[in-house]
Amino acid sequence: MHLRLTMLTADPLKFGEATDFIERDARPLIEAEPGNVGMSLKVKETLGVALVETFWVSGDAMRESDRNVRATRVEAAHRANATLSVESFQVASLVRTASWERGNGVRVTRLCARPAELDKMVATYEDTALPRLTETDGFRGAVLVAHPRTGETISETLWEDEAALVGSRSAAAGIRVDTVNATDTTVKGLEEYTQVFNSARSV
């Protein structure tokens, strides 16, 4: 499974226009594309930042969709005076322990591993980090994506609500340090968002 990640950085005063368009107009068009297996929208309203993720059964399906999907990105950016960045990844792991709903808290951790070590990093994440996360109050699931050529990796964990997200910070820090030490991985960024919707599903 593959993922296209689009980040919008928008005028906070116009941000709602973009997110409403994504949920109301862009979502049904994208989810109807051949090979689509879900989509998600996460926001940081105070900063006017949105993460839009589209999930695809294959890299070919993701690339083929871009001709139709690109117009929705451009329209969303136009409505909110936003900048756009687009990245592509392979989905290395997807775990859901409870339903993913509006209002879930989301922690996004950007990491970088040596490409030759990616398999080890994914195995360590699934064998060590995930079991500890599932024991943390409020945990609802996680997605790990990676770029095999560059080693760029993103870990997303989903939590019941903002309170659970905040309450998990200490446990997440310990898991992060242990994972980095075990895999020679570097943390490049740490962000927190509120989920608007998420229809991603395993294939």
Side-chain angles (χ1 to χ4, degrees), residues 34-53:
N36 180 266
V37 286
M39 179 178 176
S40 74
L41 173 62
K42 304 167 180 68
V43 300
K44 190 73 173 179
E45 290 191 26
T46 55
L47 297 179
V49 178
L51 295 185
V52 182
E53 297 173 334

Side-chain angles (χ1 to χ4, degrees), residues 25-199:
D25 299 311
R27 179 181 180 182
L29 292 174
I30 294 170
E31 291 184 342
E33 282 287 313
N36 180 266
V37 286
M39 179 178 176
S40 74
L41 173 62
K42 304 167 180 68
V43 300
K44 190 73 173 179
E45 290 191 26
T46 55
L47 297 179
V49 178
L51 295 185
V52 182
E53 297 173 334
T54 57
F55 295 79
W56 306 90
V57 295
S58 66
D60 287 342
M62 181 173 67
R63 286 185 289 272
E64 285 295 320
S65 74
D66 196 56
R67 290 175 296 181
N68 296 327
V69 172
R70 186 184 302 118
T72 64
R73 295 197 297 266
V74 172
E75 178 63 21
H78 173 73
R79 290 177 180 238
N81 193 27
T83 64
L84 287 172
S85 68
V86 183
E87 301 171 271
S88 299
F89 298 92
Q90 290 184 12
V91 178
S93 178
L94 190 154
V95 174
R96 188 193 309 263
T97 60
S99 60
W100 293 352
E101 302 170 346
R102 184 182 296 269
N104 288 162
V106 184
R107 178 173 297 109
V108 176
T109 307
R110 290 182 173 266
L111 308 107
C112 188
R114 289 184 295 169
E117 296 290 316
L118 270 178
D119 287 346
K120 177 183 177 182
M121 185 267 189
V122 172
T124 300
Y125 168 84
E126 292 190 324
D127 294 343
T128 305
L130 274 180
R132 292 169 63 183
L133 285 167
T134 59
E135 295 173 355
T136 306
D137 288 345
F139 179 75
R140 290 206 162 199
V143 180
L144 179 71
V145 301
H147 194 295
R149 183 174 57 80
T150 66
E152 295 295 324
T153 307
I154 297 177
S155 165
E156 294 185 6
T157 54
L158 290 91
W159 304 88
E160 183 176 2
D161 51 26
E162 184 178 358
L165 177 66
V166 171
S168 70
R169 286 173 180 165
S170 180
I175 294 168
R176 197 162 53 241
V177 168
D178 290 345
T179 302
V180 164
N181 289 339
T183 60
D184 193 25
T185 303
T186 303
V187 175
K188 307 289 285 187
L190 183 64
E191 307 153 20
E192 292 183 347
Y193 296 89
T194 300
Q195 182 160 265
V196 178
F197 66 84
N198 192 325
S199 61

